[in-house]
Amino acid sequence: MTKRVLSVGQCMPDASSLSRFLSSHFDVKIEQADVESDTFEKLKSSEYDLVLINRKLDADYSDGIELIQKIKASSEVKPSPLMLVSNYPEYQEQAVEVGAVYGIGKDQYRDPQTAARLQPYLG
């Protein structure tokens, strides 16, 4: 069964890399959201198996960890696992502290552990 992923705040090259990585390992349909308002609109109307949020949203450079906090605090969105996309472990830990699951880094797409980390949500 095809899994639904919402990718938030990725620039075009990163969105393409992420899409190729996910599609090569899982049966997924990937939707994009650029800013907070797009993200909330999609999360209110649809359910996703995983939401991947960039540490800094490309369109307006807003903070992905703050967006995770807002999503977790909202009663209007459908619950979905949230994951930060960042190469930096300290930001991954901050994201986990505010309610995300430990995420993935852009430089980890070739690491087999990355697909294993996503398996519970997309497998």
Side-chain angles (χ1 to χ4, degrees):
M1 184 168 95
T2 302
K3 301 288 185 163
R4 297 186 70 221
V5 175
L6 181 60
S7 176
V8 179
Q10 317 298 332
C11 67
M12 281 295 197
D14 288 347
S16 294
S17 296
L18 181 60
S19 180
R20 276 193 307 276
F21 167 74
L22 292 174
S23 297
S24 70
H25 289 87
F26 306 102
D27 179 13
V28 293
K29 177 178 187 250
I30 304 164
E31 293 182 36
Q32 306 288 329
D34 294 321
V35 293
E36 182 179 315
S37 59
D38 294 344
T39 304
F40 271 92
E41 188 176 305
K42 289 179 188 265
L43 290 174
K44 286 177 185 177
S45 63
S46 297
E47 290 186 39
Y48 294 92
D49 296 288
L50 184 62
V51 179
L52 294 166
I53 301 172
N54 203 5
R55 184 177 69 87
K56 290 292 185 184
L57 277 58
D58 183 60
D60 62 5
Y61 215 63
S62 59
D63 189 276
I65 294 172
E66 288 179 12
L67 179 56
I68 291 169
Q69 287 176 302
K70 290 176 183 178
I71 292 169
K72 293 304 271 186
S74 175
S75 60
E76 298 180 8
V77 300
K78 299 184 185 317
S80 300
L82 308 175
M83 197 176 266
L84 189 71
V85 178
S86 173
N87 293 328
Y88 301 100
E90 61 270 25
Y91 294 115
Q92 292 292 354
E93 290 166 15
Q94 286 178 22
V96 170
E97 287 173 12
V98 299
V101 294
Y102 199 92
I104 60 174
K106 298 171 192 174
D107 65 355
Q108 299 171 335
Y109 296 153
R110 295 177 192 250
D111 184 339
Q113 291 180 346
T114 303
R117 186 173 299 136
L118 297 172
Q119 181 68 28
Y121 312 100
L122 304 178

